Amino acid sequence: MAANNIVVIDSEFHACIAAYKSSLQTLQNAVQAYESALNALRSDWTGKAFVMMVAKVVDLIAKIKASYDRVNDAINELNAVDALFTENEEKLKSNFNALDAGSVSPFNG
């Protein structure tokens, strides 16, 4: 196979997209867990210890939420590439079908 040929297996490509979506769900679940823990601490901790913990948790949540954009970008790019490959495949099929139809004599019945 030449280096300029790309072989894409739809099921594997879609599995990759699904894995990214699952990762996004995991990130969202982590943020919810941290926010719930922070609310629980609010009722138990006070003073400087609470302020320090809030700062750490808020920073961690911000970092996780920032990764949402990166995961969503990856999902969008994978979907765009999938659409491009599908479009190219359909064009090639159309071209091949046109060649097949063009080789048939209308007089063969």
Side-chain angles (χ1 to χ4, degrees):
M1 183 180 302
N4 59 352
N5 291 338
I6 299 174
V7 176
V8 177
I9 300 170
D10 285 349
S11 61
E12 290 179 8
F13 204 78
H14 294 150
C16 181
I17 293 170
Y20 270 99
K21 287 181 179 179
S22 175
S23 295
L24 181 60
Q25 184 63 49
T26 299
L27 290 171
Q28 291 169 335
N29 290 343
V31 166
Q32 289 174 348
Y34 279 121
E35 288 173 340
S36 294
L38 187 60
N39 287 331
L41 284 176
R42 183 171 283 126
S43 62
D44 294 337
W45 289 21
T46 59
K48 190 174 182 177
F50 178 72
V51 171
M52 290 173 59
M53 183 55 69
V54 166
K56 288 183 181 194
V57 172
V58 167
D59 182 52
L60 184 58
I61 289 172
K63 288 177 181 174
I64 293 172
K65 283 186 175 181
S67 65
Y68 286 5
D69 291 336
R70 291 190 296 272
V71 174
N72 278 321
D73 286 346
I75 291 169
N76 291 337
E77 295 221 0
L78 287 167
N79 282 323
V81 170
D82 183 38
L84 180 65
F85 280 127
T86 301
E87 180 183 334
N88 287 339
E89 184 177 5
E90 291 303 317
K91 284 180 185 177
L92 288 172
K93 283 181 184 177
S94 176
N95 290 343
F96 291 139
N97 288 338
L99 290 173
D100 287 344
S103 64
V104 176
S105 170
F107 302 107
N108 283 343

